[in-house]
PDB file of all heavy atoms in Angstrom:
ATOM      1  N   LEU A 202    -167.121 -86.589-156.288  1.00  0.00           N
ATOM      2  CA  LEU A 202    -167.137 -87.992-156.682  1.00  0.00           C
ATOM      3  C   LEU A 202    -166.442 -88.874-155.657  1.00  0.00           C
ATOM      4  O   LEU A 202    -166.906 -89.993-155.378  1.00  0.00           O
ATOM      5  CB  LEU A 202    -166.472 -88.154-158.053  1.00  0.00           C
ATOM      6  CG  LEU A 202    -166.345 -89.581-158.586  1.00  0.00           C
ATOM      7  CD1 LEU A 202    -167.706 -90.222-158.777  1.00  0.00           C
ATOM      8  CD2 LEU A 202    -165.569 -89.585-159.904  1.00  0.00           C
ATOM      9  N   MET A 203    -165.352 -88.401-155.085  1.00  0.00           N
ATOM     10  CA  MET A 203    -164.630 -89.221-154.114  1.00  0.00           C
ATOM     11  C   MET A 203    -165.530 -89.543-152.921  1.00  0.00           C
ATOM     12  O   MET A 203    -165.527 -90.675-152.418  1.00  0.00           O
ATOM     13  CB  MET A 203    -163.362 -88.510-153.659  1.00  0.00           C
ATOM     14  CG  MET A 203    -162.433 -89.387-152.831  1.00  0.00           C
ATOM     15  SD  MET A 203    -161.747 -90.798-153.747  1.00  0.00           S
ATOM     16  CE  MET A 203    -160.294 -90.030-154.466  1.00  0.00           C
ATOM     17  N   SER A 204    -166.319 -88.580-152.481  1.00  0.00           N
ATOM     18  CA  SER A 204    -167.247 -88.837-151.372  1.00  0.00           C
ATOM     19  C   SER A 204    -168.295 -89.861-151.769  1.00  0.00           C
ATOM     20  O   SER A 204    -168.672 -90.732-150.973  1.00  0.00           O
ATOM     21  CB  SER A 204    -167.932 -87.533-150.953  1.00  0.00           C
ATOM     22  OG  SER A 204    -166.997 -86.624-150.421  1.00  0.00           O
ATOM     23  N   VAL A 205    -168.781 -89.767-153.012  1.00  0.00           N
ATOM     24  CA  VAL A 205    -169.774 -90.735-153.491  1.00  0.00           C
ATOM     25  C   VAL A 205    -169.194 -92.140-153.478  1.00  0.00           C
ATOM     26  O   VAL A 205    -169.838 -93.100-153.030  1.00  0.00           O
ATOM     27  CB  VAL A 205    -170.256 -90.359-154.906  1.00  0.00           C
ATOM     28  CG1 VAL A 205    -171.150 -91.462-155.473  1.00  0.00           C
ATOM     29  CG2 VAL A 205    -171.012 -89.037-154.887  1.00  0.00           C
ATOM     30  N   LEU A 206    -167.963 -92.287-153.970  1.00  0.00           N
ATOM     31  CA  LEU A 206    -167.334 -93.612-153.999  1.00  0.00           C
ATOM     32  C   LEU A 206    -167.136 -94.160-152.590  1.00  0.00           C
ATOM     33  O   LEU A 206    -167.311 -95.354-152.344  1.00  0.00           O
ATOM     34  CB  LEU A 206    -165.991 -93.544-154.729  1.00  0.00           C
ATOM     35  CG  LEU A 206    -166.032 -93.190-156.219  1.00  0.00           C
ATOM     36  CD1 LEU A 206    -164.624 -93.123-156.789  1.00  0.00           C
ATOM     37  CD2 LEU A 206    -166.867 -94.196-157.005  1.00  0.00           C
ATOM     38  N   VAL A 207    -166.767 -93.300-151.665  1.00  0.00           N
ATOM     39  CA  VAL A 207    -166.534 -93.736-150.287  1.00  0.00           C
ATOM     40  C   VAL A 207    -167.824 -94.228-149.637  1.00  0.00           C
ATOM     41  O   VAL A 207    -167.822 -95.226-148.894  1.00  0.00           O
ATOM     42  CB  VAL A 207    -165.909 -92.588-149.459  1.00  0.00           C
ATOM     43  CG1 VAL A 207    -165.911 -92.924-147.978  1.00  0.00           C
ATOM     44  CG2 VAL A 207    -164.479 -92.315-149.936  1.00  0.00           C
ATOM     45  N   HIS A 208    -168.936 -93.559-149.925  1.00  0.00           N
ATOM     46  CA  HIS A 208    -170.180 -93.855-149.213  1.00  0.00           C
ATOM     47  C   HIS A 208    -171.207 -94.617-150.053  1.00  0.00           C
ATOM     48  O   HIS A 208    -172.293 -94.915-149.547  1.00  0.00           O
ATOM     49  CB  HIS A 208    -170.793 -92.550-148.692  1.00  0.00           C
ATOM     50  CG  HIS A 208    -169.954 -91.869-147.662  1.00  0.00           C
ATOM     51  ND1 HIS A 208    -169.927 -92.256-146.336  1.00  0.00           N
ATOM     52  CD2 HIS A 208    -169.059 -90.836-147.768  1.00  0.00           C
ATOM     53  CE1 HIS A 208    -169.083 -91.483-145.668  1.00  0.00           C
ATOM     54  NE2 HIS A 208    -168.537 -90.618-146.505  1.00  0.00           N
ATOM     55  N   ALA A 209    -170.883 -94.930-151.318  1.00  0.00           N
ATOM     56  CA  ALA A 209    -171.838 -95.627-152.180  1.00  0.00           C
ATOM     57  C   ALA A 209    -172.169 -97.013-151.631  1.00  0.00           C
ATOM     58  O   ALA A 209    -171.293 -97.725-151.124  1.00  0.00           O
ATOM     59  CB  ALA A 209    -171.269 -95.758-153.587  1.00  0.00           C
ATOM     60  N   GLU A 210    -173.429 -97.388-151.740  1.00  0.00           N
ATOM     61  CA  GLU A 210    -173.873 -98.711-151.297  1.00  0.00           C
ATOM     62  C   GLU A 210    -174.978 -99.200-152.224  1.00  0.00           C
ATOM     63  O   GLU A 210    -175.914 -98.464-152.543  1.00  0.00           O
ATOM     64  CB  GLU A 210    -174.386 -98.657-149.859  1.00  0.00           C
ATOM     65  CG  GLU A 210    -174.811-100.013-149.317  1.00  0.00           C
ATOM     66  CD  GLU A 210    -175.197 -99.973-147.852  1.00  0.00           C
ATOM     67  OE1 GLU A 210    -174.764 -99.027-147.155  1.00  0.00           O
ATOM     68  OE2 GLU A 210    -175.926-100.871-147.403  1.00  0.00           O
ATOM     69  N   VAL A 211    -174.852-100.433-152.711  1.00  0.00           N
ATOM     70  CA  VAL A 211    -175.867-101.066-153.559  1.00  0.00           C
ATOM     71  C   VAL A 211    -176.089-102.483-153.045  1.00  0.00           C
ATOM     72  O   VAL A 211    -175.149-103.290-153.005  1.00  0.00           O
ATOM     73  CB  VAL A 211    -175.426-101.104-155.035  1.00  0.00           C
ATOM     74  CG1 VAL A 211    -176.461-101.872-155.871  1.00  0.00           C
ATOM     75  CG2 VAL A 211    -175.251 -99.697-155.592  1.00  0.00           C
ATOM     76  N   ASP A 212    -177.291-102.775-152.635  1.00  0.00           N
ATOM     77  CA  ASP A 212    -177.649-104.115-152.142  1.00  0.00           C
ATOM     78  C   ASP A 212    -176.707-104.583-151.028  1.00  0.00           C
ATOM     79  O   ASP A 212    -176.323-105.751-150.956  1.00  0.00           O
ATOM     80  CB  ASP A 212    -177.630-105.138-153.285  1.00  0.00           C
ATOM     81  CG  ASP A 212    -178.648-104.807-154.364  1.00  0.00           C
ATOM     82  OD1 ASP A 212    -179.680-104.192-154.026  1.00  0.00           O
ATOM     83  OD2 ASP A 212    -178.397-105.137-155.536  1.00  0.00           O
ATOM     84  N   GLY A 213    -176.307-103.647-150.170  1.00  0.00           N
ATOM     85  CA  GLY A 213    -175.433-103.988-149.059  1.00  0.00           C
ATOM     86  C   GLY A 213    -173.959-104.009-149.399  1.00  0.00           C
ATOM     87  O   GLY A 213    -173.114-104.178-148.508  1.00  0.00           O
ATOM     88  N   ASP A 214    -173.618-103.840-150.666  1.00  0.00           N
ATOM     89  CA  ASP A 214    -172.213-103.833-151.081  1.00  0.00           C
ATOM     90  C   ASP A 214    -171.640-102.421-151.011  1.00  0.00           C
ATOM     91  O   ASP A 214    -172.326-101.445-151.350  1.00  0.00           O
ATOM     92  CB  ASP A 214    -172.068-104.350-152.520  1.00  0.00           C
ATOM     93  CG  ASP A 214    -172.356-105.826-152.640  1.00  0.00           C
ATOM     94  OD1 ASP A 214    -172.107-106.553-151.661  1.00  0.00           O
ATOM     95  OD2 ASP A 214    -172.814-106.254-153.704  1.00  0.00           O
ATOM     96  N   ARG A 215    -170.366-102.331-150.602  1.00  0.00           N
ATOM     97  CA  ARG A 215    -169.655-101.061-150.603  1.00  0.00           C
ATOM     98  C   ARG A 215    -168.237-101.302-151.116  1.00  0.00           C
ATOM     99  O   ARG A 215    -167.748-102.428-151.117  1.00  0.00           O
ATOM    100  CB  ARG A 215    -169.614-100.453-149.195  1.00  0.00           C
ATOM    101  CG  ARG A 215    -170.995-100.175-148.624  1.00  0.00           C
ATOM    102  CD  ARG A 215    -170.926 -99.476-147.283  1.00  0.00           C
ATOM    103  NE  ARG A 215    -170.475 -98.098-147.422  1.00  0.00           N
ATOM    104  CZ  ARG A 215    -170.624 -97.176-146.479  1.00  0.00           C
ATOM    105  NH1 ARG A 215    -171.183 -97.486-145.326  1.00  0.00           N
ATOM    106  NH2 ARG A 215    -170.201 -95.954-146.669  1.00  0.00           N
ATOM    107  N   LEU A 216    -167.594-100.238-151.548  1.00  0.00           N
ATOM    108  CA  LEU A 216    -166.216-100.328-152.027  1.00  0.00           C
ATOM    109  C   LEU A 216    -165.256-100.200-150.844  1.00  0.00           C
ATOM    110  O   LEU A 216    -165.404 -99.295-150.025  1.00  0.00           O
ATOM    111  CB  LEU A 216    -165.924 -99.208-153.034  1.00  0.00           C
ATOM    112  CG  LEU A 216    -166.720 -99.224-154.343  1.00  0.00           C
ATOM    113  CD1 LEU A 216    -166.506 -97.909-155.096  1.00  0.00           C
ATOM    114  CD2 LEU A 216    -166.313-100.400-155.212  1.00  0.00           C
ATOM    115  N   ASP A 217    -164.266-101.097-150.783  1.00  0.00           N
ATOM    116  CA  ASP A 217    -163.232-100.920-149.767  1.00  0.00           C
ATOM    117  C   ASP A 217    -162.215 -99.895-150.271  1.00  0.00           C
ATOM    118  O   ASP A 217    -162.254 -99.456-151.421  1.00  0.00           O
ATOM    119  CB  ASP A 217    -162.569-102.251-149.411  1.00  0.00           C
ATOM    120  CG  ASP A 217    -161.908-102.938-150.595  1.00  0.00           C
ATOM    121  OD1 ASP A 217    -161.553-102.251-151.580  1.00  0.00           O
ATOM    122  OD2 ASP A 217    -161.725-104.171-150.541  1.00  0.00           O
ATOM    123  N   ASP A 218    -161.286 -99.512-149.406  1.00  0.00           N
ATOM    124  CA  ASP A 218    -160.351 -98.438-149.767  1.00  0.00           C
ATOM    125  C   ASP A 218    -159.529 -98.780-151.004  1.00  0.00           C
ATOM    126  O   ASP A 218    -159.301 -97.925-151.873  1.00  0.00           O
ATOM    127  CB  ASP A 218    -159.404 -98.148-148.590  1.00  0.00           C
ATOM    128  CG  ASP A 218    -160.103 -97.400-147.464  1.00  0.00           C
ATOM    129  OD1 ASP A 218    -161.351 -97.271-147.523  1.00  0.00           O
ATOM    130  OD2 ASP A 218    -159.414 -96.954-146.529  1.00  0.00           O
ATOM    131  N   GLU A 219    -159.066-100.019-151.098  1.00  0.00           N
ATOM    132  CA  GLU A 219    -158.244-100.414-152.236  1.00  0.00           C
ATOM    133  C   GLU A 219    -159.036-100.285-153.535  1.00  0.00           C
ATOM    134  O   GLU A 219    -158.514 -99.833-154.559  1.00  0.00           O
ATOM    135  CB  GLU A 219    -157.747-101.855-152.059  1.00  0.00           C
ATOM    136  CG  GLU A 219    -156.607-102.247-152.971  1.00  0.00           C
ATOM    137  CD  GLU A 219    -155.314-101.499-152.658  1.00  0.00           C
ATOM    138  OE1 GLU A 219    -155.153-100.996-151.523  1.00  0.00           O
ATOM    139  OE2 GLU A 219    -154.462-101.410-153.558  1.00  0.00           O
ATOM    140  N   SER A 220    -160.301-100.670-153.494  1.00  0.00           N
ATOM    141  CA  SER A 220    -161.150-100.565-154.681  1.00  0.00           C
ATOM    142  C   SER A 220    -161.405 -99.107-155.048  1.00  0.00           C
ATOM    143  O   SER A 220    -161.414 -98.753-156.232  1.00  0.00           O
ATOM    144  CB  SER A 220    -162.486-101.276-154.438  1.00  0.00           C
ATOM    145  OG  SER A 220    -162.291-102.663-154.229  1.00  0.00           O
ATOM    146  N   ILE A 221    -161.606 -98.258-154.053  1.00  0.00           N
ATOM    147  CA  ILE A 221    -161.833 -96.835-154.329  1.00  0.00           C
ATOM    148  C   ILE A 221    -160.608 -96.224-154.985  1.00  0.00           C
ATOM    149  O   ILE A 221    -160.707 -95.449-155.951  1.00  0.00           O
ATOM    150  CB  ILE A 221    -162.187 -96.076-153.035  1.00  0.00           C
ATOM    151  CG1 ILE A 221    -163.513 -96.586-152.471  1.00  0.00           C
ATOM    152  CG2 ILE A 221    -162.264 -94.570-153.297  1.00  0.00           C
ATOM    153  CD1 ILE A 221    -163.814 -96.058-151.078  1.00  0.00           C
ATOM    154  N   ILE A 222    -159.432 -96.571-154.479  1.00  0.00           N
ATOM    155  CA  ILE A 222    -158.193 -96.045-155.071  1.00  0.00           C
ATOM    156  C   ILE A 222    -158.110 -96.416-156.546  1.00  0.00           C
ATOM    157  O   ILE A 222    -157.834 -95.573-157.413  1.00  0.00           O
ATOM    158  CB  ILE A 222    -156.955 -96.567-154.303  1.00  0.00           C
ATOM    159  CG1 ILE A 222    -156.889 -95.940-152.911  1.00  0.00           C
ATOM    160  CG2 ILE A 222    -155.673 -96.276-155.090  1.00  0.00           C
ATOM    161  CD1 ILE A 222    -155.836 -96.557-152.013  1.00  0.00           C
ATOM    162  N   HIS A 223    -158.374 -97.674-156.856  1.00  0.00           N
ATOM    163  CA  HIS A 223    -158.199 -98.125-158.235  1.00  0.00           C
ATOM    164  C   HIS A 223    -159.340 -97.676-159.145  1.00  0.00           C
ATOM    165  O   HIS A 223    -159.107 -97.387-160.330  1.00  0.00           O
ATOM    166  CB  HIS A 223    -158.013 -99.640-158.271  1.00  0.00           C
ATOM    167  CG  HIS A 223    -156.648-100.068-157.848  1.00  0.00           C
ATOM    168  ND1 HIS A 223    -156.315-100.313-156.531  1.00  0.00           N
ATOM    169  CD2 HIS A 223    -155.516-100.269-158.561  1.00  0.00           C
ATOM    170  CE1 HIS A 223    -155.047-100.652-156.453  1.00  0.00           C
ATOM    171  NE2 HIS A 223    -154.538-100.633-157.674  1.00  0.00           N
ATOM    172  N   GLU A 224    -160.556 -97.598-158.648  1.00  0.00           N
ATOM    173  CA  GLU A 224    -161.641 -97.100-159.491  1.00  0.00           C
ATOM    174  C   GLU A 224    -161.463 -95.605-159.775  1.00  0.00           C
ATOM    175  O   GLU A 224    -161.722 -95.150-160.890  1.00  0.00           O
ATOM    176  CB  GLU A 224    -163.002 -97.357-158.837  1.00  0.00           C
ATOM    177  CG  GLU A 224    -163.388 -98.816-158.720  1.00  0.00           C
ATOM    178  CD  GLU A 224    -163.521 -99.531-160.057  1.00  0.00           C
ATOM    179  OE1 GLU A 224    -163.488 -98.872-161.120  1.00  0.00           O
ATOM    180  OE2 GLU A 224    -163.640-100.770-160.044  1.00  0.00           O
ATOM    181  N   SER A 225    -161.023 -94.844-158.799  1.00  0.00           N
ATOM    182  CA  SER A 225    -160.774 -93.421-159.047  1.00  0.00           C
ATOM    183  C   SER A 225    -159.585 -93.251-159.986  1.00  0.00           C
ATOM    184  O   SER A 225    -159.563 -92.336-160.819  1.00  0.00           O
ATOM    185  CB  SER A 225    -160.539 -92.670-157.729  1.00  0.00           C
ATOM    186  OG  SER A 225    -159.370 -93.123-157.065  1.00  0.00           O
ATOM    187  N   LEU A 226    -158.610 -94.142-159.885  1.00  0.00           N
ATOM    188  CA  LEU A 226    -157.463 -94.113-160.790  1.00  0.00           C
ATOM    189  C   LEU A 226    -157.903 -94.424-162.219  1.00  0.00           C
ATOM    190  O   LEU A 226    -157.430 -93.802-163.179  1.00  0.00           O
ATOM    191  CB  LEU A 226    -156.426 -95.131-160.324  1.00  0.00           C
ATOM    192  CG  LEU A 226    -155.112 -95.209-161.097  1.00  0.00           C
ATOM    193  CD1 LEU A 226    -154.411 -93.863-161.066  1.00  0.00           C
ATOM    194  CD2 LEU A 226    -154.219 -96.285-160.489  1.00  0.00           C
ATOM    195  N   LEU A 227    -158.815 -95.362-162.372  1.00  0.00           N
ATOM    196  CA  LEU A 227    -159.350 -95.685-163.695  1.00  0.00           C
ATOM    197  C   LEU A 227    -160.081 -94.482-164.285  1.00  0.00           C
ATOM    198  O   LEU A 227    -159.953 -94.193-165.485  1.00  0.00           O
ATOM    199  CB  LEU A 227    -160.296 -96.882-163.586  1.00  0.00           C
ATOM    200  CG  LEU A 227    -160.953 -97.369-164.884  1.00  0.00           C
ATOM    201  CD1 LEU A 227    -159.904 -97.814-165.893  1.00  0.00           C
ATOM    202  CD2 LEU A 227    -161.927 -98.502-164.583  1.00  0.00           C
TER     203      LEU A 227
END
Side-chain angles (χ1 to χ4, degrees):
L202 177 62
M203 190 65 87
S204 295
V205 173
L206 295 178
V207 169
H208 295 280
E210 182 175 339
V211 175
D212 298 331
D214 290 330
R215 300 184 71 163
L216 296 169
D217 59 24
D218 286 9
E219 195 67 22
S220 297
I221 296 170
I222 290 171
H223 284 88
E224 293 298 351
S225 64
L226 183 59
L227 180 61

